Amino acid sequence: MNKDKEIYQKRLERHYDELKWLYMELYNSMEDFEKLCEAMEEMYDRRKTDLKKQDLKREADPDWFKGHDMLGMMMYTGQFAGTLKGVEEHLDYIKSCGVNYLHLMPLMESPRGRSDGGYAVADFRKVQPELGTVEDLEDLADQCRLQGISLCLDFVMNHTSEDHEWAKRARAGEKEYQDRYFFYDSWEIPMQFEKTVPQVFPTTAPGNFTWLPDLGKHVMTTFYPYQWDLNYSNPVVFHEMVMNFLFLTNLGIDVIRIDAVPYIWKELGTTCRNLPQVHTIVRMMRMIGEIVCPGILLLGEVVMEPVKVAPYFGTVEKPECHMLYNVTTMATIWHTVATQDTRLLKKQLDTVYSLPKTYTFLNYLRCHDDIGWGLDYDTLAQWGMQQIPHKEFLNDFFTGRWPDSFSRGELYNNDPITRDARFCGTTASMCGVEKAGYCGDDYGMVQAIRLDLMLHAFMLFQAGIPVIYSGDEIGQVNDYTYKEDPDKMLDSRYIHRGAFQWHLTDNIGKEGTVQNQLFHGLRQLEILRQTHEAFRADAHAETYYSDDPALLYICRTSENEKLLGVFNFSQAVKILDWSIGGLNLVTGGDVAEEKRLVLRSYDFVWLKLEPEKPQEADAEDEPSEAISCSQ
Ligand code: GLC
């Protein structure tokens, strides 16, 4: 056996028993399992030498993605640069943002007007023609690899577009293809599902089934009616989708974002979310990745409450995803902006900080989707905030209906029955850049920029990978043109997916402009993050009690360094007696000389403190006790 095959065999042997066990549990067919193994080996044989070399390197350094130098950006190819070639041509700009992890939103073939932003895939092996070709994608991946950028792509695995070949054949009456989805002749079973399965898009796509009059059947469509749910209890679906997954990794995609993964297994009488079989499938994908292409990472899109999220990391012996989104923290950040009350955010951070440091979260202020108000309402209720009115307050605040609100944006899936709605808007618009710009309010703009930078400073203070949405680095505001496009007008998420405003990048070098302040402000923080060891993922992080709920204190401690972040989430100026000193990393100023710390509205500081000397550790050295606040 040659060396190359030996490597493969070793990897296979390591996982063979467990993989077989799990496969048999779901599909109970040794013949099918053997077919899967053969196909995996074939995909390995087709993997390029460069990628195989990279696999070996990453296998030897499995924490390669956990460094505090990681910085992500997400973008739509078309909105950023028109095509994949365009993205390649603009890699210099992406690099100038310090980015080394690039998430391109779905770009496989998807029918116009029925694409859900690319999340309704008609062909898993073909790039959307306007964006380029599979060869362009492979070229871009090669370029990214050369330039040290990891490329992330969505793998939309819960459903296909109704234009996918399988769906077309199913619609034409082929039983074999109907079995790849969930088809029902009568309303009886769908109705039973509807009793327990919540709705994802209650307004824009109510219900979980779609009636196909031409066929006289109902098909399961958890998301939009044109996105048909795949039936993973059929081994052919699993097999084919694994091959589609490996097709992407063999193009050189480093990070596979498994889209809407909690939804992939359906069982009558359940919510059809996070079922045990989902974890079996993710675990199998993890093992298949480690056998065929161990250099790749699985990023789970699990937009669920915290107790449902962490299980997708799996266990130390049986890991599932490499990375997950820090979604509750994201929503809680915006709750904190609206309430100027950091208590819930502190509690949320305490939960995150108590998780194993081996977990890698992607931190973000917003993404391409709406912000759902998935907050800890039990805790909020103790503080007098009830779920429904509180959600209404948040939505009023961020849409700008609340008196004095500086935010601008729109509701998403406003459900009049549950009185629930989610929210859409860019970071800059939510921070007040749009309103201040429109009203010519200079002071409003100063505050908006400060809030925007403070929130990024908060995000960058966390371990994991910070991900910036393309355009946020230059304060791009909401784009209302989607209302003129019949394909987009019903989906307000397009408000924050606007085309990248290249002309605004001319302002980056112009002192005093929004773009100049945000771009350089962010770069400075990102560089500080990269160069200070207390930002390492294994550093100890904790929050401190604050008697002023508007202030949040986070301390990061590594072997040789102690950093304290103080974040003012209120519009009030905070003047703090400050006996513990510290070097302000952003200004370079020494706080010790001043004996007080001044935080303007929405301001923050990152302080480097003297590491505690154990023998002198008395009450005076303890920030939580030394801090006293006045307004
Ligand atoms: C994910 C995507 C979202 C899409 C949905 C259906 O949640 O982030 O944009 O609508 O999946 O594919």
Side-chain angles (χ1 to χ4, degrees), residues 76 105 116-117 119-120 154 156 158-159 200-201 223-224 227 257 259-260 263 301 303 367-370 412 491 493 497:
Y76 274 97
M105 304 309 292
D116 184 22
Y119 285 97
D154 279 84
V156 187
N158 177 67
H159 42 255
V200 180
F201 299 137
F223 292 86
Y224 281 105
Q227 289 164 315
R257 176 186 183 273
D259 177 60
Y263 300 80
E301 194 228 357
V303 179
C367 66
H368 67 298
D369 279 332
D370 48 291
Y412 181 66
D491 193 333
R493 289 177 299 178
R497 297 174 179 174

Side-chain angles (χ1 to χ4, degrees), residues 76 103-110 115-124 153-161 164 166 223 226-230 232 237 241 244-245 248 256-261 264 285 299 301 368:
Y76 274 97
H103 176 190
L104 294 181
M105 304 309 292
L107 42 77
M108 291 302 176
E109 194 172 69
S110 181
S115 85
D116 184 22
Y119 285 97
V121 178
D123 192 333
F124 290 95
L153 224 64
D154 279 84
F155 178 49
V156 187
M157 63 181 301
N158 177 67
H159 42 255
T160 73
S161 154
H164 189 278
W166 298 352
F223 292 86
Y226 50 76
Q227 289 164 315
W228 293 8
D229 289 73
L230 285 168
Y232 277 89
V237 169
M241 292 305 280
N244 288 332
F245 152 57
L248 287 181
I256 302 291
R257 176 186 183 273
I258 39 180
D259 177 60
V261 66
I264 61 174
M285 288 176 71
L299 163 64
E301 194 228 357
H368 67 298

Side-chain angles (χ1 to χ4, degrees), residues 94-274:
I94 292 168
K95 288 200 83 171
S96 77
C97 298
V99 167
N100 50 16
Y101 164 98
L102 179 63
H103 176 190
L104 294 181
M105 304 309 292
L107 42 77
M108 291 302 176
E109 194 172 69
S110 181
R112 225 204 154 90
R114 290 174 292 122
S115 85
D116 184 22
Y119 285 97
V121 178
D123 192 333
F124 290 95
R125 309 270 176 128
K126 194 170 163 211
V127 167
Q128 182 72 14
E130 297 99 88
L131 303 177
T133 62
V134 165
E135 289 70 39
D136 295 344
L137 180 57
E138 194 166 6
D139 282 351
L140 177 63
D142 287 345
Q143 259 317 309
C144 285
R145 198 162 51 257
L146 280 174
Q147 303 202 28
I149 299 173
S150 297
L151 193 56
C152 169
L153 224 64
D154 279 84
F155 178 49
V156 187
M157 63 181 301
N158 177 67
H159 42 255
T160 73
S161 154
E162 61 178 345
D163 284 20
H164 189 278
E165 196 207 330
W166 298 352
K168 284 186 182 159
R169 296 182 75 162
R171 205 163 197 157
E174 285 186 58
K175 166 97 175 54
E176 191 199 325
Y177 289 91
Q178 289 180 357
D179 288 348
R180 297 184 187 196
Y181 300 94
F182 296 90
F183 275 92
Y184 300 98
D185 296 330
S186 77
W187 181 236
E188 198 188 324
I189 296 176
M191 195 174 60
Q192 286 181 42
F193 270 112
E194 292 293 10
K195 284 185 190 150
T196 55
V197 183
Q199 305 190 55
V200 180
F201 299 137
T203 318
T204 48
N208 289 288
F209 290 86
T210 299
W211 169 246
L212 303 174
D214 47 329
L215 209 63
K217 285 183 195 286
H218 300 269
V219 64
M220 186 183 266
T221 53
T222 303
F223 292 86
Y224 281 105
Y226 50 76
Q227 289 164 315
W228 293 8
D229 289 73
L230 285 168
N231 184 351
Y232 277 89
S233 69
N234 180 345
V236 178
V237 169
F238 179 70
H239 184 110
E240 292 294 321
M241 292 305 280
V242 164
M243 292 308 123
N244 288 332
F245 152 57
L246 295 177
F247 172 79
L248 287 181
T249 62
N250 271 1
L251 288 179
I253 309 303
D254 299 277
V255 183
I256 302 291
R257 176 186 183 273
I258 39 180
D259 177 60
V261 66
Y263 300 80
I264 61 174
W265 195 273
K266 320 297 197 279
E267 225 36 268
L268 209 56
T270 72
T271 58
C272 296
R273 313 275 197 271
N274 309 301

Side-chain angles (χ1 to χ4, degrees), residues 555-581:
C555 188
R556 301 192 61 84
T557 318
S558 59
E559 210 169 81
N560 305 303
E561 196 174 53
K562 183 166 183 156
L563 298 182
L564 181 69
V566 189
F567 305 88
N568 177 9
F569 274 83
S570 82
Q571 270 173 344
V573 178
K574 304 285 173 180
I575 301 165
L576 313 175
D577 290 336
W578 201 261
S579 54
I580 56 171

